[in-house]
Amino acid sequence: MKENDTIVVFTARSPDRIVKEGGSQAWVLNPSKAKLAKWLVCTQNRHHPDHMFSDATEPHGAAFLVGKISGITKSLEENNKERWLVEISEFARISKPDAWRGRNPVHYTSLSELGIKVGDLKFEPISSAKQMPTTLESKAPWPPATLTIAEAKKALAATFGVKPEAVEISIRG
C-alpha cells in the first residue's frame, strides 16, 4: 500500500504568487484526507482559460515547487466554503518536466512515486517571502490594453474578497 504523503495540484499560479500567498488555493478537496499529507507539489497549468486569473510562469505540466504543509484552511479567496488553502511553512523550487499525470486538478500520491527526494531539496521558510494577503496579482501589464467591465469587476472582487456581483463600477465622462 502506497503512502499518500503528498498533495499534487495543477495550478495556473506562479511560484512567486504561491509563496506570497503562503500556499496554494482555492481547491475543492477533502480536508480530512488533505490534513494527513506532509507535502504539497505544485505543477503548472499554462492553459487556464482565464487570463485575469493566471500568472503561470513555468513550463506546462512541470513540477516547480515542493512545500511542507503546515495547515489546510478555508480559502480566503473564495466565498465558497468548499474551497481550501493548502498552507505551507517552507518551500523548495524544483524543475521536473512532465510531472503532471492527473486528470483532476488535485490528487494524492507520494514524493517517492514522483521521484522527488526530500534530502536533495533546499527549503526556505515561507515567512521570509510572504508579503501580501491573498489578492489578485499578475505579471501581466495592468491595466490591460482593453478591459471589460466584467474583467474589472472580477479583478476587484478577487482583491477585496467579494463576489463580482457585489462590485459596482461608475464611469463619468
Side-chain angles (χ1 to χ4, degrees), residues 56-92:
T57 58
E58 306 307 305
H60 184 74
F64 61 87
L65 185 140
V66 175
K68 185 175 183 182
I69 296 175
S70 59
I72 307 294
T73 58
K74 290 191 177 179
S75 174
L76 301 174
E77 185 174 276
E78 297 284 333
N79 290 328
N80 182 339
K81 64 184 176 185
E82 300 301 317
R83 299 276 180 165
W84 298 90
L85 165 66
V86 181
E87 295 178 331
I88 55 176
S89 58
E90 300 174 45
F91 69 98

Side-chain angles (χ1 to χ4, degrees), residues 7 18 134 137:
I7 300 171
I18 291 167
T134 54
E137 181 178 295

Side-chain angles (χ1 to χ4, degrees), residues 4-172:
N4 287 332
D5 65 354
T6 304
I7 300 171
V8 180
V9 296
F10 190 49
T11 180
R13 296 181 188 207
S14 69
D16 291 341
R17 184 172 175 188
I18 291 167
V19 169
K20 287 178 184 177
E21 293 180 352
S24 185
Q25 64 177 325
W27 300 108
V28 175
L29 52 76
N30 177 336
S32 298
K33 183 175 182 179
K35 287 178 182 179
L36 299 175
K38 298 175 190 175
W39 306 104
L40 170 69
V41 173
C42 296
T43 61
Q44 193 73 88
N45 178 358
R46 294 290 300 234
H47 301 150
H48 194 282
D50 186 348
H51 72 280
M52 294 291 294
F53 168 82
S54 175
D55 68 340
T57 58
E58 306 307 305
H60 184 74
F64 61 87
L65 185 140
V66 175
K68 185 175 183 182
I69 296 175
S70 59
I72 307 294
T73 58
K74 290 191 177 179
S75 174
L76 301 174
E77 185 174 276
E78 297 284 333
N79 290 328
N80 182 339
K81 64 184 176 185
E82 300 301 317
R83 299 276 180 165
W84 298 90
L85 165 66
V86 181
E87 295 178 331
I88 55 176
S89 58
E90 300 174 45
F91 69 98
R93 294 288 308 262
I94 64 171
S95 179
K96 188 166 181 56
D98 302 317
W100 178 250
R101 300 271 188 247
R103 288 178 31 172
N104 296 318
V106 176
H107 75 270
Y108 301 87
T109 188
S110 66
L111 285 182
S112 61
E113 194 166 304
L114 294 168
I116 299 171
K117 296 178 183 174
V118 175
D120 294 343
L121 304 177
K122 182 180 176 191
F123 284 93
E124 298 176 49
I126 202 82
S127 59
S128 66
K130 189 174 177 183
Q131 301 170 357
M132 59 173 262
T134 54
T135 60
L136 179 70
E137 181 178 295
S138 174
K139 292 188 179 206
W142 189 261
T146 59
L147 179 66
T148 68
I149 296 289
E151 290 170 336
K153 284 184 172 189
K154 189 171 185 175
L156 288 168
T159 299
F160 295 105
V162 298
K163 291 184 177 183
E165 301 83 46
V167 176
E168 294 182 9
I169 295 177
S170 297
I171 300 174
R172 296 188 181 112

